[in-house]
Amino acid sequence: MSQSAEPAGTSPYARPVRARRPGPVARLGVGAFDPAESPLARTRRARRMARELAVIHPDAHCELDFTTPLELLVATVLSAQTTDKMVNKVTPRLFARYPTAADYAGADRAELEQILKPTGFFRAKANSVIGLGQALVERFDGEVPGRLADLVTLPGVGRKTANVVLGNAFGVPGLTVDTHFGRLVRRFGWTAEEDPVKVEAQIAEIIPKKEWTIFSHRVIFHGRRVCHAKKPACGACGLAAWCPSFGIGPLDPEAAAKLVRSPAASDTE
């Protein structure tokens, strides 16, 4: 589900870019990851970009609405193949109807599917949520565990979901390697890996552990609002000076600014 582009100049995420030639990806057609760049140089460049991301997205946060670890766990499972905005439309009714793991474990499937239908793949998601509730009741006394090793044993929960829950519900630093995160760190030339686990391991060596959770939010914000999959807003991107992929999107500042989403755009692609 897409948001319409905002008029030029209305989004605080847009940054004017000084005239410069495109980076090697756009200019030469090479990969963004430069094996000739030393690990130290790459780390310094990455951390400079990370600091700039903090300036561009001071409001970065988890865009799934929740009040408890269970709510966040369920919302994250439901976010597969849909947008956070859609999940947030469904969860008020869902959370009110099923406040505990035991409630999910004993849910009437037809009723649950009806609530989840707007999120897509609702039958599979109903199976996941019911199984999740059963596993929590049977193995963790109905409570969401606060350890990665335990979370990934739950139905429908991989490292990405586990890190979302750990970072945002328990305050345990975690890198959330979703589609946006993986796309951007490859465009930035920080890694050439495609496998999310390998991406997570490489970025963990670059970004200080205490920053993992908020850094993940900033990258995801940037991917949703500025560095879009099909048409990144290169000419309005504050990371242009350090990005080897600069130039794969429009360079004209005004044209690029029209592509930048507003703070209200919780989902774009």
Side-chain angles (χ1 to χ4, degrees), residues 22 41 47 60 90 95 97 116 126 142 159 172 194 202-203 212 218 221 233 238:
R47 291 187 177 183
V90 167
F95 295 161
R97 180 67 181 84
L116 299 182
R159 288 186 67 90
V172 178
E194 295 283 344
Q202 286 202 343
I203 304 308
W212 286 354
R218 290 167 182 160
F221 257 54

Side-chain angles (χ1 to χ4, degrees), residues 212-227:
W212 286 354
T213 300
I214 187 61
F215 171 75
S216 297
H217 292 318
R218 290 167 182 160
V219 173
I220 292 168
F221 257 54
H222 202 67
R224 287 175 169 171
R225 291 155 172 78
V226 181
C227 194

Side-chain angles (χ1 to χ4, degrees), residues 6-9 14-17 233 235-236 250-260:
E6 297 293 320
R15 296 290 189 274
V17 175
L251 297 183
D252 177 72
E254 185 174 348
K258 292 179 180 179
L259 298 173
V260 179

Side-chain angles (χ1 to χ4, degrees), residues 30-213:
V30 300
F33 183 83
D34 180 5
E37 183 179 34
S38 72
L40 178 59
R42 186 176 300 113
T43 296
R44 285 176 172 170
R45 181 171 62 85
R47 291 187 177 183
R48 181 65 186 84
M49 294 174 77
R51 290 195 296 273
E52 192 65 24
L53 278 171
V55 174
I56 298 170
H57 303 289
D59 55 340
H61 61 277
C62 178
E63 295 189 274
L64 290 169
D65 296 336
F66 71 97
T67 60
T68 67
L70 177 62
E71 289 183 355
L72 179 57
L73 179 58
V74 170
T76 307
V77 169
L78 296 181
S79 67
Q81 305 299 317
T82 190
T83 62
D84 289 357
K85 180 172 283 188
M86 178 56 69
V87 173
N88 289 340
K89 288 181 179 179
V90 167
T91 50
R93 180 184 174 194
L94 180 73
F95 295 161
R97 180 67 181 84
Y98 307 101
T100 70
D103 292 321
Y104 288 111
D108 176 80
R109 184 177 299 275
E111 180 183 7
L112 181 59
E113 288 181 354
Q114 187 61 35
I115 295 174
L116 299 182
K117 195 169 185 177
T119 69
F121 302 95
F122 60 93
R123 292 187 178 89
K125 289 180 181 180
N127 284 338
S128 294
V129 170
I130 291 172
L132 192 59
Q134 293 171 343
L136 289 173
V137 169
E138 293 169 4
R139 294 195 274 124
F140 299 102
D141 297 322
E143 299 296 324
V144 176
R147 295 195 320 138
L148 179 69
D150 292 329
L151 283 166
V152 296
T153 68
L154 297 170
V157 179
R159 288 186 67 90
K160 183 192 82 171
T161 296
N163 279 328
V164 170
V165 174
L166 289 174
N168 297 282
F170 291 104
V172 178
L175 290 167
T176 303
V177 185
D178 71 351
T179 302
H180 299 286
F181 189 101
R183 180 178 77 248
L184 265 62
V185 295
R186 284 187 289 272
R187 277 184 177 171
F188 296 163
W190 297 2
T191 181
E193 297 290 350
E194 295 283 344
D195 178 77
V197 176
K198 293 180 179 179
V199 170
E200 181 184 340
Q202 286 202 343
I203 304 308
E205 294 180 357
I206 294 174
I207 301 300
K209 184 175 182 178
K210 64 181 181 180
E211 298 176 14
W212 286 354
T213 300

